[in-house]
Amino acid sequence: LTAPPQPLLERYTSNSFSNTERIEGAFTSAFDLSIYSNLPKAPDGTYTASLCVESTANAEHVLQSTLISPSGAPFAFSVYAKAGARSQIFIQFLGAGGLNRLVVFDLSLGTYSDITSTFPAPGVEMVPVGDGWYRCCVYNTALLFTGRIGLYNGGTSYTGDGNSGAYLWGLQFESNPTATSYIPSIQAFTSRASSAYFTNSLGRLALAATNVARTNYTGSDLTIAPKLLLEKAATNLIIRSTSMQL
């Protein structure tokens, strides 16, 4: 961090995934895998990462979606991952004609193994980003294929314990030979401005602005992960409640 900053110049691209910070919303299918959102701190400092927990089945514990690379152009598929009770994940591409690409990432050692590669133009990167997180990137060329992310324990299929898993955040699929900086694509919501207070990240009472959720902190210990504050509708029957004058 002592080196002078440099301008970041990148090729124009877009992230084809939606809901990239809610893993369960980004993929179309989940098999023998439960997703728990907003548990650990993500690489950007927010509590938006997901814990992916295996079932007790003897099966693959995996998420998958059908992906399309325009005109079969080179593409980059990436995700931020951190070890939980499971320290290995895999990224796999399955295409027509038996094409198969399987890469296993060890999130404890910071290493990867290119297990199977019948896709053209293969490439892999694993970049540490701090606090045990890695950006896991796989590059290939294909037109239509199935993209998969799953837990790995000696193989893609194994008997789970119903408790173990790993953390994921920040999916990205782009038509580019290599991964560019993360482009978030989050689901928006609309709300009215809050008329009730919550405890903000500074430990102070605050009112939420329009379209901003009440992310409530524990005032006595701001290091505890905040939680979304949801309450039953109610009305204060005391008028001028902030004034002690009659």
Side-chain angles (χ1 to χ4, degrees):
L1 294 178
T2 59
Q6 301 291 329
L8 179 60
L9 302 177
E10 296 181 296
R11 179 180 176 180
Y12 173 80
T13 186
S14 60
N15 189 352
S16 296
F17 274 116
S18 60
N19 301 327
T20 57
E21 295 175 11
R22 296 188 66 85
I23 300 298
E24 73 277 18
F27 285 92
T28 55
S29 302
F31 301 98
D32 290 291
L33 199 66
S34 297
I35 312 298
Y36 299 92
S37 300
N38 304 332
L39 287 180
K41 185 181 289 187
D44 67 347
T46 62
Y47 288 89
T48 53
S50 296
L51 173 62
C52 302
V53 177
E54 64 198 29
S55 71
T56 57
N58 183 7
E60 290 186 315
H61 311 276
V62 65
L63 299 156
Q64 71 179 42
S65 280
T66 299
L67 302 172
I68 300 175
S69 179
S71 302
F75 66 83
F77 184 102
S78 60
V79 66
Y80 292 87
K82 180 177 179 178
R86 292 288 177 221
S87 61
Q88 293 182 316
I89 66 166
F90 70 87
I91 293 177
Q92 185 178 33
F93 305 143
L94 298 174
L99 291 177
N100 184 12
R101 181 78 190 282
L102 176 64
V103 182
V104 176
F105 295 88
D106 191 311
L107 305 173
S108 293
L109 299 178
T111 59
Y112 64 85
S113 300
D114 211 338
I115 305 297
T116 303
S117 182
T118 57
F119 270 82
V124 184
E125 280 189 295
M126 188 176 186
V127 182
V129 295
D131 194 29
W133 286 95
Y134 292 89
R135 194 180 192 193
C136 304
C137 313
V138 182
Y139 311 130
N140 266 118
T141 301
L143 177 59
L144 176 67
F145 64 97
T146 299
R148 313 172 84 221
I149 295 179
L151 301 175
Y152 192 88
N153 185 25
T156 60
S157 182
Y158 63 91
T159 302
D161 60 16
N163 296 303
S164 298
Y167 301 103
L168 298 178
W169 180 84
L171 285 163
Q172 187 150 303
F173 175 63
E174 54 190 306
S175 182
N176 207 48
T178 58
T180 61
S181 55
Y182 173 54
I183 306 168
S185 175
I186 58 176
Q187 186 175 21
F189 67 95
T190 302
S191 72
R192 62 177 175 80
S194 170
S195 59
Y197 284 87
F198 69 102
T199 303
N200 66 16
S201 60
L202 300 177
R204 300 171 182 168
L205 289 178
L207 288 171
T210 302
N211 293 339
V212 176
R214 289 194 296 166
T215 305
N216 196 59
Y217 284 77
T218 302
S220 59
D221 187 353
L222 295 177
T223 63
I224 297 175
K227 297 180 180 180
L228 182 64
L229 181 58
L230 300 175
E231 298 178 300
K232 182 178 179 181
T235 301
N236 187 351
L237 299 179
I238 299 177
I239 62 173
R240 302 189 185 92
S241 59
T242 57
S243 175
M244 296 298 104
Q245 299 177 359
L246 297 177

